[in-house]
Amino acid sequence: MKRVAMKVKSQISNLASSAAPLEQERPKVFRALYNPNYRVFWVGSLLSNIGSWMQTVAQGWLVLQLTNSAFLLGVVGFTGMFPVLVFSLVGGVYADRFDRRRLLVATQTVLMVLALILGVLVSTGAITVWHVLVLSLLSGIANALSMPAYQAMVQDLVGRDDLMNAIALNSVQFNLSRVIGPATAGVALGRIGIAGCFYLNAVSFLAVIVALLRIRFPHYVPPQSPPRSVAKSVVEGMQYVWENRIILYLLTIVAAVSLWGMPYMTLLPIFARDVLHRGAAELGYLMSSSGVGAVMGALVLARLGDFSFKGKMAIAGGLMFALSVFGFALSRSYYLSLGFLLMAGWSLVSCVAVINTLIQKLVPAHVRGRVMSMYSLAFLGLMPIGNLVAGTLAELLGARAGLALGAVLIASTVFYVITVRSDVAHLR
C-alpha cells in the first residue's frame, strides 16, 4: 500500500509539474476567457448581441413594408439611439448606487419583453409604425440605462490586470455579432419571417440573463454616503471628470471620433453608389471590411494584454482613424476603399477600447458607473447628432468633402489634446 501511495503521489506531482507549462502555453489573446465568470458573460453577451442585430435588420425591413418611407426608417433608427444621449448619465448614477448585476438583469428582461411584444404585434397583424417607434424608444431607454453598468462590471469580473484583454475581447464579440447577426437575419427573414426574428431576439436575451445569474464575483457594495437626488449625483460625476482633466481629455478624443468620424458608416451607401459606382453586394463588402478590421484590431489588443504604452496607442489609434477616414473620403478605387475601411475599423478599436481601459483604471469604484456613462454618451450618444451633421455637410459640400472635413477635425482634436496634456501619451 505504501508503494502504491508513493506511486500515486509521484504521478500527481508529475501532473502538477506538467500543468505549469500547459498553463504557459495558453494563448495570451484569450486570457480573460480563462476566467469562468467572464467566459459565461462573454458567450451570453455574444448570443444576445446576435439577436439584437437580427432585430435591427428585421425592424428596418418591417418599417419599409409598413411605410415605404426612408424618412421614417431614419426616425426609427434615431429613436433607438437618441435615449443614450438623454438617459446614459442617469444609468451611470444607478450603476454606482445599485447592484450592477441586478440592474443588468432588470434591463435585459425589459428588452426581452419588448422584443416579444413586437413579435406578437407582427404575428397578429396589429402592428403599426407608431408601435415600432414607441417600442424602439423604450428599448433605447433600457439600453441607455444598462450601458454604464455593463461597462463598469467588466473590471468587477476580471480585475485590473486582465481589464485591457477583457475589453478587447468584448470588442471582438460585439463586432462578430455585427457580422453574424445581419447575415443570420437575412436567412431567417426568408424562413421564419419578421415576427420570427423578433421571437429569436427575445430568446437570445435569455442567454445573457442566465449568464448574469450564473456568474460569481465580489458583491458590489455602494459607498455609504448621504442620499442625493439623481440630478445631484449626475452633477457630482460631471464635476469629478471636470476636476480630473486627463479623463476629460480622453473623453474629448472619444467624442471627436464619434461625432466626426463614425458617420462614415451612415454615408457608405452614397459612396458605394455615387463615388465608387458599385451595387448592393459591394456595399455589403464595404461594411464587412470595417467589421473585419475591428475584430483584427481587438484581437491584437487582447494579445498585448496589460501593455505599458496605452496612452501612445490611444493617440496613434485616433490619428490613424482620422487618416483612414480621410483616405476613404478621397478614394475613387473600390479596392483601395476596402483597405481604408479595414484600417478604420482596426484603428477605431485601438483608440476607443484603450481609452475605455485607461478611464476604468483611473477612476475609483464609487464613481466608475457615472464616468463610464459619460464614455457611453461620448461614444454612442453623439452618434445621432454626428449623423445629422454629416448629412448636412454632405448636402452642402458633397459627401467626400464633408467626410474629409470630419477627419481633419478628429486629427485636430487629438493634436490639441496632446498639446494641452502631453502626459496623456505616457498613460499606462
Side-chain angles (χ1 to χ4, degrees), residues 127-139:
I127 191 72
T128 69
V129 70
W130 297 108
H131 291 132
V132 180
L133 283 168
V134 171
L135 292 170
S136 177
L137 179 64
L138 293 175
S139 297

Side-chain angles (χ1 to χ4, degrees), residues 81-110:
M81 288 296 298
F82 183 72
V84 178
L85 186 62
V86 179
F87 292 100
S88 61
L89 296 180
V90 177
V93 174
Y94 292 158
D96 286 334
R97 284 190 181 184
F98 306 118
D99 183 281
R100 289 162 183 163
R101 174 165 55 178
R102 291 181 180 179
L103 178 60
L104 283 173
V105 169
T107 53
Q108 299 308 300
T109 301
V110 169

Side-chain angles (χ1 to χ4, degrees), residues 249 252-253 256-257 260 408-418:
Y249 285 121
T252 300
I253 294 175
V257 165
W260 303 112
V408 171
L409 290 172
I410 295 170
S412 300
T413 302
V414 176
F415 280 123
Y416 170 76
V417 167
I418 59 178

Side-chain angles (χ1 to χ4, degrees), residues 115-167:
L116 190 60
I117 292 172
L118 200 51
V120 170
L121 288 172
V122 173
S123 296
T124 59
I127 191 72
T128 69
V129 70
W130 297 108
H131 291 132
V132 180
L133 283 168
V134 171
L135 292 170
S136 177
L137 179 64
L138 293 175
S139 297
I141 293 172
N143 277 317
L145 294 176
S146 70
M147 284 176 188
Y150 183 94
Q151 297 281 353
M153 205 177 78
V154 174
Q155 186 168 330
D156 296 332
L157 287 172
V158 302
R160 291 173 61 86
D161 291 344
D162 289 340
L163 182 60
M164 180 73 255
N165 182 266
I167 289 175

Side-chain angles (χ1 to χ4, degrees), residues 156-366:
D156 296 332
L157 287 172
V158 302
R160 291 173 61 86
D161 291 344
D162 289 340
L163 182 60
M164 180 73 255
N165 182 266
I167 289 175
L169 290 174
N170 264 351
S171 295
V172 170
Q173 67 90 359
F174 177 80
N175 285 287
L176 279 176
S177 70
R178 192 175 75 172
V179 174
I180 297 171
T184 306
V187 176
L189 282 171
R191 299 285 180 87
I192 59 177
I194 294 174
C197 289
F198 296 146
Y199 290 138
L200 281 179
N201 183 39
V203 172
S204 77
F205 281 111
L206 289 175
V208 72
I209 291 170
V210 170
L212 288 165
L213 293 174
R214 284 191 59 188
I215 59 178
R216 298 289 181 267
F217 64 99
H219 179 64
Y220 175 67
V221 180
Q224 298 298 319
S225 58
R228 294 182 177 86
S229 67
V230 171
K232 286 184 178 179
S233 295
V234 168
V235 170
E236 186 182 69
M238 296 174 71
Q239 187 176 11
Y240 176 87
V241 170
W242 181 257
E243 292 172 354
N244 293 268
R245 292 303 179 92
I246 199 160
I247 298 174
L248 177 64
Y249 285 121
L250 288 172
L251 290 174
T252 300
I253 294 175
V254 174
V257 165
S258 176
L259 189 61
W260 303 112
M262 290 304 291
Y264 81 90
M265 291 294 293
T266 303
L267 297 176
L268 271 182
I270 296 175
F271 277 87
R273 186 189 66 184
D274 299 339
V275 177
L276 303 175
H277 307 295
R278 300 283 173 155
E282 288 82 5
L283 172 61
Y285 293 137
L286 288 169
M287 289 185 166
S288 297
S289 181
S290 176
V292 169
V295 171
M296 292 169 63
L299 287 173
V300 169
L301 290 180
R303 177 65 179 81
L304 290 172
D306 192 27
F307 57 94
S308 60
F309 50 93
K310 296 184 185 69
K312 292 183 176 66
M313 176 67 82
I315 291 168
L319 292 175
M320 285 299 295
F321 179 68
L323 180 62
S324 304
V325 173
F326 188 82
F328 173 74
L330 299 185
S331 171
R332 290 187 176 275
S333 164
Y334 172 69
Y335 295 103
L336 188 60
S337 296
L338 284 173
F340 279 124
L341 289 175
L342 184 79
M343 191 165 64
W346 187 315
S347 54
L348 175 67
V349 167
S350 299
C351 178
V352 298
V354 171
I355 288 178
N356 185 328
T357 304
L358 286 171
I359 291 174
Q360 293 210 48
K361 285 197 166 190
L362 287 170
V363 302
H366 74 275

